[in-house]
Amino acid sequence: RPWLLLPLQAPFSYSEAFLPLEISIFLGAVAELCMHGRTALGRGRGGGQGAEGADRAAAQRRLVSVVARSSLQLSFLGLLGCRVDDLLPVTWWTVLTPLWLLLLLYCLRAAASCASIKAAAQEEERVARRVLAGLSSAASLICFFCLLLLSLRLAEGVPLSAALILTPFLTVVGLLLCCTCTSCICAGVLVSADADGAADGLAAGDAYQRHCDEEST
């Protein structure tokens, strides 16, 4: 266990420590299934045509995504507990396989977001979908590089530090922080300029009104 520097002091195993997280994932999946199950399994009037049929199809896709995501998350936690507790002779590649499949699932969702851009009726909706597709693709690429470095570190024993493994994620977070700060500064400058322009306009209007009043008297 090269990444466990301190011995386990609690009177329970890692598998038992992961149990609350597994329960929360399971309960979250059950809540989403109950939320979308009625729409997905209900029979719409008119043979499932029109908007009702589209809502039902979307709810069914949502159910499949929830089941797949929750199953992969629970599988990862179970394999991780067995690996660190030496309950099963599993390799790190086997432990990380659910994470790779989960990343594949998110990549498919990003591809679906890209494919749905042309289906939008309004330009604003198309722009929003382009932004969402771009963010999903970028997040998938970052997760791929981080997971690849983590797999090489654990499974192949490549001497990679935690800082190097998180470098893609930290780089993007830094860029987003810089973009956010720049946007806030630009927005503040524009608001200040608009306020100054409005104040100058009011002052000019007041001066002109006083001038008109003087001429009339």
Side-chain angles (χ1 to χ4, degrees):
R1 306 173 187 177
W3 58 285
L4 296 177
L5 301 180
L6 298 176
L8 183 64
Q9 301 294 334
F12 47 81
S13 63
Y14 286 98
S15 299
E16 295 172 343
F18 293 149
L19 188 58
L21 184 57
E22 294 173 351
I23 293 175
S24 64
I25 293 174
F26 177 76
L27 293 179
V30 171
E32 291 195 57
L33 290 177
C34 294
M35 184 184 304
H36 301 284
R38 185 175 181 181
T39 304
L41 301 178
R43 294 179 177 272
R45 290 177 294 180
Q49 301 292 333
E52 189 174 356
D55 291 341
R56 195 171 106 180
Q60 290 174 350
R61 291 192 296 269
R62 180 67 177 174
L63 288 181
V64 174
S65 176
V66 168
V67 172
R69 185 185 70 240
S70 303
S71 300
L72 291 174
Q73 291 173 347
L74 293 175
S75 299
F76 169 70
L77 291 176
L79 290 172
L80 181 61
C82 293
R83 177 67 177 83
V84 296
D85 288 332
D86 294 328
L87 299 178
L88 291 176
V90 294
T91 63
W92 280 112
W93 283 114
T94 304
V95 173
L96 297 175
T97 296
L99 291 184
W100 284 105
L101 295 177
L102 193 61
L103 178 60
L104 177 61
L105 179 62
Y106 284 123
C107 290
L108 293 177
R109 292 183 61 181
S113 299
C114 295
S116 65
I117 294 177
K118 296 182 179 179
Q122 299 180 355
E123 181 63 25
E124 293 80 4
E125 187 177 357
R126 285 195 292 269
V127 172
R129 292 190 179 186
R130 288 192 189 100
V131 173
L132 180 61
L135 292 177
S136 300
S137 302
S140 301
L141 187 62
I142 295 168
C143 293
F144 169 78
F145 283 113
C146 291
L147 186 56
L148 178 61
L149 295 175
L150 180 62
S151 300
L152 293 176
R153 172 67 178 88
L154 295 178
E156 301 297 332
V158 179
L160 299 175
S161 62
L164 181 60
I165 293 174
L166 294 176
T167 296
F169 174 75
L170 297 177
T171 302
V172 174
V173 170
L175 292 176
L176 290 177
L177 183 61
C178 292
C179 293
T180 302
C181 295
T182 304
S183 301
C184 293
I185 293 174
C186 293
V189 171
L190 292 176
V191 170
S192 178
D194 292 339
D196 293 340
D200 293 340
L202 290 175
D206 293 339
Y208 177 76
Q209 184 65 34
R210 286 194 302 270
H211 178 70
C212 293
D213 293 340
E214 291 175 357
E215 288 184 349
S216 62
T217 56

